[in-house]
Amino acid sequence: MTIDPSTELGAGHRPSTIEGDGEPILLAESVCVAYRRGEPERLSDFSARLMPGEVLCVVGESGAGKSTLLSALSGFVRPTAGKLVVAGVDLCESKARSGALSRLRRNLGIVLQSPTESLDPTQRVLDAVAEPLIHLRGVPVGESRAKAATLLDSLGLDRGKQQRKPFGLSGGECQRVAVARAIIHGPALLLADEPTANLDPPVARALLSELVRLSKEHRFAMVYVTHRLDEPEILGGRLIVLKQGKVVE
């Protein structure tokens, strides 16, 4: 399986995904994760299959294993058992790991709870969104900024606000910037780690609606982690409930 790195989501094209829509973006079979040898597993017997454009919601309370799952999907921890393939990269394979992880991360987008963790407070938000295109795809600076502006337009951030730094925007606006930054380079998979946790309910619902629209429009798969039971209903897709590292529903 190969990844096509040539398409750019900011230009309105499809994201770079595995060739052929018959291939899953995420394939997990009986995945187990423990951070250290001899410690209890933080994630046990997790299985899922996700195709381009599909959404998987993972719900669980604190300590349920949600963060461990995202760490495994992004290649930061290696499964201790099972099979895990993300965007064509076998994350259980030890050979050529450095190059494989670089290839994986060019095809991932990540949105965190707080945009302050992902946005440089000294950088204009337009430049922050353009940056992944420049560094991950090699797109020229001017073209990257133009694509970033178009994507931010579609998320309702006007051109004046695009020239501001994060402290000049509301929390909801900053999170929209973080979403744009996560998807501008055309990822195959978006990992969303409770991105509405610090937002008021109306702002949170608006952001969820935008994520659904973007996922359908650009056909990236999404794993959305939350502790809120109402959010999966808005997002649609499939639902997995985790408790103490195990799938209970």
Side-chain angles (χ1 to χ4, degrees), residues 4 7 37 44 48 51 57-58 60 64 69 98 110 154 166 170 201 212 227:
D4 175 10
T7 57
R37 188 183 300 275
S44 301
M51 303 299 290
C57 294
V58 182
L69 172 62
S98 177
I110 300 176
S154 77
S170 68
V212 172
H227 67 276

Side-chain angles (χ1 to χ4, degrees), residues 109-215:
I110 300 176
V111 183
L112 303 174
Q113 289 185 24
S114 173
T116 58
E117 297 181 31
S118 59
L119 298 178
D120 183 345
T122 68
Q123 187 179 38
R124 294 184 310 162
V125 296
L126 178 65
D127 293 330
V129 174
E131 197 170 51
L133 270 183
I134 298 168
H135 295 295
L136 295 177
R137 301 298 187 204
V139 179
V141 173
E143 184 180 349
S144 295
R145 285 176 177 164
K147 291 180 177 181
T150 299
L151 182 56
L152 287 168
D153 286 344
S154 77
L155 284 165
L157 198 70
D158 64 50
R159 295 295 172 104
K161 290 183 177 180
Q162 292 176 23
Q163 300 300 321
R164 297 181 184 177
K165 295 175 181 178
F167 62 79
L169 303 177
S170 68
E173 288 170 337
C174 280
Q175 198 59 290
R176 287 170 183 262
V177 172
V179 168
R181 179 179 166 87
I183 69 171
I184 186 70
H185 61 291
L189 176 65
L190 178 68
L191 304 178
D193 186 6
E194 304 204 49
T196 64
N198 299 319
L199 302 180
D200 293 333
V203 178
R205 286 193 294 270
L207 182 66
L208 291 175
S209 296
E210 290 296 340
L211 284 172
V212 172
R213 177 184 68 82
L214 291 166
S215 178

Side-chain angles (χ1 to χ4, degrees), residues 31-138:
V31 172
C32 301
V33 177
Y35 286 106
R36 293 181 180 86
R37 188 183 300 275
E39 285 191 354
E41 291 177 343
R42 302 293 184 91
L43 188 68
S44 301
D45 199 30
F46 179 87
S47 297
R49 181 184 178 92
L50 201 57
M51 303 299 290
E54 291 186 336
V55 176
L56 173 64
C57 294
V58 182
V59 176
E61 59 191 11
S62 179
K66 304 187 304 295
S67 295
T68 298
L69 172 62
L70 292 182
S71 293
L73 295 179
S74 54
F76 288 108
V77 296
R78 186 183 300 175
T80 52
K83 178 180 182 179
L84 182 59
V85 180
V86 178
V89 176
D90 185 347
L91 293 176
C92 297
E93 175 61 56
S94 59
K95 296 179 180 178
R97 186 157 177 79
S98 177
L101 287 181
S102 295
R103 190 168 72 252
L104 168 68
R105 288 168 187 158
R106 286 196 298 271
N107 287 279
L108 284 182
I110 300 176
V111 183
L112 303 174
Q113 289 185 24
S114 173
T116 58
E117 297 181 31
S118 59
L119 298 178
D120 183 345
T122 68
Q123 187 179 38
R124 294 184 310 162
V125 296
L126 178 65
D127 293 330
V129 174
E131 197 170 51
L133 270 183
I134 298 168
H135 295 295
L136 295 177
R137 301 298 187 204

